[in-house]
PDB file of all heavy atoms in Angstrom:
ATOM      1  N   HIS M 226     -53.509 -56.237  82.547  1.00  0.00           N
ATOM      2  CA  HIS M 226     -54.402 -55.533  81.520  1.00  0.00           C
ATOM      3  C   HIS M 226     -54.981 -56.616  80.523  1.00  0.00           C
ATOM      4  O   HIS M 226     -56.183 -56.587  80.255  1.00  0.00           O
ATOM      5  CB  HIS M 226     -53.565 -54.431  80.812  1.00  0.00           C
ATOM      6  CG  HIS M 226     -54.472 -53.681  79.809  1.00  0.00           C
ATOM      7  ND1 HIS M 226     -54.365 -53.909  78.506  1.00  0.00           N
ATOM      8  CD2 HIS M 226     -55.359 -52.660  80.076  1.00  0.00           C
ATOM      9  CE1 HIS M 226     -55.264 -53.142  77.901  1.00  0.00           C
ATOM     10  NE2 HIS M 226     -55.853 -52.362  78.761  1.00  0.00           N
ATOM     11  N   ARG M 236     -67.869 -60.759  81.120  1.00  0.00           N
ATOM     12  CA  ARG M 236     -68.701 -60.608  82.252  1.00  0.00           C
ATOM     13  C   ARG M 236     -69.858 -59.726  81.868  1.00  0.00           C
ATOM     14  O   ARG M 236     -71.072 -59.987  82.193  1.00  0.00           O
ATOM     15  CB  ARG M 236     -67.918 -60.115  83.345  1.00  0.00           C
ATOM     16  CG  ARG M 236     -68.513 -60.182  84.785  1.00  0.00           C
ATOM     17  CD  ARG M 236     -67.663 -59.981  85.970  1.00  0.00           C
ATOM     18  NE  ARG M 236     -66.616 -58.949  85.653  1.00  0.00           N
ATOM     19  CZ  ARG M 236     -66.809 -57.601  85.984  1.00  0.00           C
ATOM     20  NH1 ARG M 236     -68.005 -57.236  86.485  1.00  0.00           N
ATOM     21  NH2 ARG M 236     -66.003 -56.777  85.699  1.00  0.00           N
ATOM     22  N   GLU M 240     -73.768 -60.292  81.659  1.00  0.00           N
ATOM     23  CA  GLU M 240     -74.805 -59.473  82.418  1.00  0.00           C
ATOM     24  C   GLU M 240     -75.829 -59.053  81.429  1.00  0.00           C
ATOM     25  O   GLU M 240     -77.028 -59.046  81.809  1.00  0.00           O
ATOM     26  CB  GLU M 240     -74.074 -58.249  83.065  1.00  0.00           C
ATOM     27  CG  GLU M 240     -73.368 -58.539  84.308  1.00  0.00           C
ATOM     28  CD  GLU M 240     -72.630 -57.332  84.903  1.00  0.00           C
ATOM     29  OE1 GLU M 240     -73.468 -56.324  85.154  1.00  0.00           O
ATOM     30  OE2 GLU M 240     -71.494 -57.351  85.189  1.00  0.00           O
ATOM     31  N   ASN M 241     -75.424 -58.517  80.285  1.00  0.00           N
ATOM     32  CA  ASN M 241     -76.404 -58.165  79.231  1.00  0.00           C
ATOM     33  C   ASN M 241     -77.380 -59.206  78.954  1.00  0.00           C
ATOM     34  O   ASN M 241     -78.692 -58.915  78.871  1.00  0.00           O
ATOM     35  CB  ASN M 241     -75.728 -57.645  77.898  1.00  0.00           C
ATOM     36  CG  ASN M 241     -75.115 -56.181  78.226  1.00  0.00           C
ATOM     37  OD1 ASN M 241     -75.739 -55.359  78.898  1.00  0.00           O
ATOM     38  ND2 ASN M 241     -74.052 -55.886  77.510  1.00  0.00           N
ATOM     39  N   GLN M 266     -62.252 -64.508  87.457  1.00  0.00           N
ATOM     40  CA  GLN M 266     -61.656 -63.206  87.570  1.00  0.00           C
ATOM     41  C   GLN M 266     -61.092 -62.920  88.987  1.00  0.00           C
ATOM     42  O   GLN M 266     -60.034 -62.510  89.082  1.00  0.00           O
ATOM     43  CB  GLN M 266     -62.774 -62.152  87.416  1.00  0.00           C
ATOM     44  CG  GLN M 266     -62.218 -60.717  87.420  1.00  0.00           C
ATOM     45  CD  GLN M 266     -63.102 -59.685  86.805  1.00  0.00           C
ATOM     46  OE1 GLN M 266     -64.260 -59.864  86.635  1.00  0.00           O
ATOM     47  NE2 GLN M 266     -62.505 -58.496  86.693  1.00  0.00           N
ATOM     48  N   ALA M 302     -58.099 -37.339  98.904  1.00  0.00           N
ATOM     49  CA  ALA M 302     -58.440 -36.637  97.675  1.00  0.00           C
ATOM     50  C   ALA M 302     -58.639 -37.651  96.613  1.00  0.00           C
ATOM     51  O   ALA M 302     -59.719 -37.456  95.896  1.00  0.00           O
ATOM     52  CB  ALA M 302     -57.238 -35.783  97.278  1.00  0.00           C
ATOM     53  N   ARG M 310     -69.885 -41.157  95.903  1.00  0.00           N
ATOM     54  CA  ARG M 310     -70.865 -42.085  95.302  1.00  0.00           C
ATOM     55  C   ARG M 310     -71.744 -42.682  96.422  1.00  0.00           C
ATOM     56  O   ARG M 310     -72.785 -43.006  96.149  1.00  0.00           O
ATOM     57  CB  ARG M 310     -70.098 -43.217  94.593  1.00  0.00           C
ATOM     58  CG  ARG M 310     -69.462 -42.742  93.249  1.00  0.00           C
ATOM     59  CD  ARG M 310     -69.444 -43.863  92.277  1.00  0.00           C
ATOM     60  NE  ARG M 310     -68.331 -44.873  92.531  1.00  0.00           N
ATOM     61  CZ  ARG M 310     -67.096 -44.738  92.037  1.00  0.00           C
ATOM     62  NH1 ARG M 310     -66.800 -43.772  91.279  1.00  0.00           N
ATOM     63  NH2 ARG M 310     -66.192 -45.601  92.311  1.00  0.00           N
ATOM     64  N   ASN M 403     -67.058 -56.376  95.071  1.00  0.00           N
ATOM     65  CA  ASN M 403     -66.002 -57.236  94.353  1.00  0.00           C
ATOM     66  C   ASN M 403     -64.643 -57.091  95.156  1.00  0.00           C
ATOM     67  O   ASN M 403     -64.249 -56.097  95.545  1.00  0.00           O
ATOM     68  CB  ASN M 403     -65.705 -56.782  93.031  1.00  0.00           C
ATOM     69  CG  ASN M 403     -66.829 -57.201  91.951  1.00  0.00           C
ATOM     70  OD1 ASN M 403     -67.348 -58.271  92.169  1.00  0.00           O
ATOM     71  ND2 ASN M 403     -67.183 -56.444  91.128  1.00  0.00           N
TER      72      ASN M 403
ATOM     73  N   PRO J  16     -70.287 -54.379  74.986  1.00  0.00           N
ATOM     74  CA  PRO J  16     -71.247 -54.708  76.062  1.00  0.00           C
ATOM     75  C   PRO J  16     -71.630 -53.516  76.857  1.00  0.00           C
ATOM     76  O   PRO J  16     -72.828 -53.512  77.325  1.00  0.00           O
ATOM     77  CB  PRO J  16     -70.567 -55.806  76.899  1.00  0.00           C
ATOM     78  CG  PRO J  16     -69.215 -56.048  76.295  1.00  0.00           C
ATOM     79  CD  PRO J  16     -69.151 -55.248  75.012  1.00  0.00           C
ATOM     80  N   GLN J  54     -55.825 -46.522  78.135  1.00  0.00           N
ATOM     81  CA  GLN J  54     -54.890 -46.996  77.175  1.00  0.00           C
ATOM     82  C   GLN J  54     -55.455 -47.186  75.741  1.00  0.00           C
ATOM     83  O   GLN J  54     -56.338 -47.894  75.523  1.00  0.00           O
ATOM     84  CB  GLN J  54     -54.450 -48.377  77.641  1.00  0.00           C
ATOM     85  CG  GLN J  54     -53.323 -48.298  78.668  1.00  0.00           C
ATOM     86  CD  GLN J  54     -53.055 -49.636  79.345  1.00  0.00           C
ATOM     87  OE1 GLN J  54     -53.966 -50.250  79.916  1.00  0.00           O
ATOM     88  NE2 GLN J  54     -51.940 -50.162  79.312  1.00  0.00           N
ATOM     89  N   MET J  94     -57.800 -36.665  88.190  1.00  0.00           N
ATOM     90  CA  MET J  94     -58.477 -35.732  89.170  1.00  0.00           C
ATOM     91  C   MET J  94     -58.245 -34.275  88.875  1.00  0.00           C
ATOM     92  O   MET J  94     -59.123 -33.449  88.818  1.00  0.00           O
ATOM     93  CB  MET J  94     -58.047 -36.149  90.575  1.00  0.00           C
ATOM     94  CG  MET J  94     -58.283 -37.550  91.017  1.00  0.00           C
ATOM     95  SD  MET J  94     -59.946 -37.843  91.668  1.00  0.00           S
ATOM     96  CE  MET J  94     -59.776 -36.682  93.064  1.00  0.00           C
ATOM     97  N   ASP J 100     -65.466 -38.913  87.632  1.00  0.00           N
ATOM     98  CA  ASP J 100     -65.255 -40.156  88.398  1.00  0.00           C
ATOM     99  C   ASP J 100     -64.110 -40.929  87.714  1.00  0.00           C
ATOM    100  O   ASP J 100     -63.676 -40.771  86.588  1.00  0.00           O
ATOM    101  CB  ASP J 100     -66.523 -41.020  88.311  1.00  0.00           C
ATOM    102  CG  ASP J 100     -66.902 -41.657  89.715  1.00  0.00           C
ATOM    103  OD1 ASP J 100     -65.857 -42.063  90.396  1.00  0.00           O
ATOM    104  OD2 ASP J 100     -67.988 -41.596  90.120  1.00  0.00           O
ATOM    105  N   SER J 105     -62.661 -53.513  85.607  1.00  0.00           N
ATOM    106  CA  SER J 105     -62.733 -54.911  86.067  1.00  0.00           C
ATOM    107  C   SER J 105     -63.400 -55.019  87.460  1.00  0.00           C
ATOM    108  O   SER J 105     -63.726 -56.100  87.885  1.00  0.00           O
ATOM    109  CB  SER J 105     -61.309 -55.447  86.176  1.00  0.00           C
ATOM    110  OG  SER J 105     -60.547 -54.718  87.092  1.00  0.00           O
ATOM    111  N   GLU J 106     -63.544 -53.944  88.224  1.00  0.00           N
ATOM    112  CA  GLU J 106     -64.197 -53.969  89.526  1.00  0.00           C
ATOM    113  C   GLU J 106     -65.665 -53.626  89.439  1.00  0.00           C
ATOM    114  O   GLU J 106     -66.353 -53.704  90.442  1.00  0.00           O
ATOM    115  CB  GLU J 106     -63.498 -53.028  90.523  1.00  0.00           C
ATOM    116  CG  GLU J 106     -62.218 -53.505  91.019  1.00  0.00           C
ATOM    117  CD  GLU J 106     -61.651 -52.661  92.170  1.00  0.00           C
ATOM    118  OE1 GLU J 106     -62.297 -51.756  92.470  1.00  0.00           O
ATOM    119  OE2 GLU J 106     -60.734 -53.161  92.788  1.00  0.00           O
ATOM    120  N   MET J 107     -66.138 -53.262  88.209  1.00  0.00           N
ATOM    121  CA  MET J 107     -67.512 -52.779  88.173  1.00  0.00           C
ATOM    122  C   MET J 107     -68.466 -53.714  87.578  1.00  0.00           C
ATOM    123  O   MET J 107     -68.023 -54.300  86.443  1.00  0.00           O
ATOM    124  CB  MET J 107     -67.483 -51.439  87.485  1.00  0.00           C
ATOM    125  CG  MET J 107     -66.690 -50.259  87.973  1.00  0.00           C
ATOM    126  SD  MET J 107     -67.338 -49.587  89.493  1.00  0.00           S
ATOM    127  CE  MET J 107     -68.590 -48.433  88.896  1.00  0.00           C
ATOM    128  N   LEU J 109     -71.835 -54.035  85.259  1.00  0.00           N
ATOM    129  CA  LEU J 109     -72.482 -53.138  84.236  1.00  0.00           C
ATOM    130  C   LEU J 109     -73.563 -52.325  84.950  1.00  0.00           C
ATOM    131  O   LEU J 109     -73.742 -51.153  84.750  1.00  0.00           O
ATOM    132  CB  LEU J 109     -73.049 -54.020  83.100  1.00  0.00           C
ATOM    133  CG  LEU J 109     -73.088 -53.454  81.645  1.00  0.00           C
ATOM    134  CD1 LEU J 109     -71.733 -52.684  81.384  1.00  0.00           C
ATOM    135  CD2 LEU J 109     -73.170 -54.569  80.687  1.00  0.00           C
ATOM    136  N   LEU J 115     -74.223 -45.370  87.837  1.00  0.00           N
ATOM    137  CA  LEU J 115     -73.286 -44.164  87.904  1.00  0.00           C
ATOM    138  C   LEU J 115     -73.550 -43.216  86.811  1.00  0.00           C
ATOM    139  O   LEU J 115     -73.625 -42.069  86.969  1.00  0.00           O
ATOM    140  CB  LEU J 115     -71.912 -44.755  87.832  1.00  0.00           C
ATOM    141  CG  LEU J 115     -70.739 -43.716  88.062  1.00  0.00           C
ATOM    142  CD1 LEU J 115     -70.834 -43.432  89.571  1.00  0.00           C
ATOM    143  CD2 LEU J 115     -69.446 -44.420  87.746  1.00  0.00           C
TER     144      LEU J 115
END
Side-chain angles (χ1 to χ4, degrees):
Chain M
H226 183 261
R236 189 163 48 84
E240 279 183 55
N241 281 330
Q266 185 164 11
R310 286 207 286 269
N403 281 324
Chain J
Q54 279 170 306
M94 301 269 302
D100 224 317
S105 64
E106 282 194 349
M107 300 288 279
L109 214 39
L115 189 68

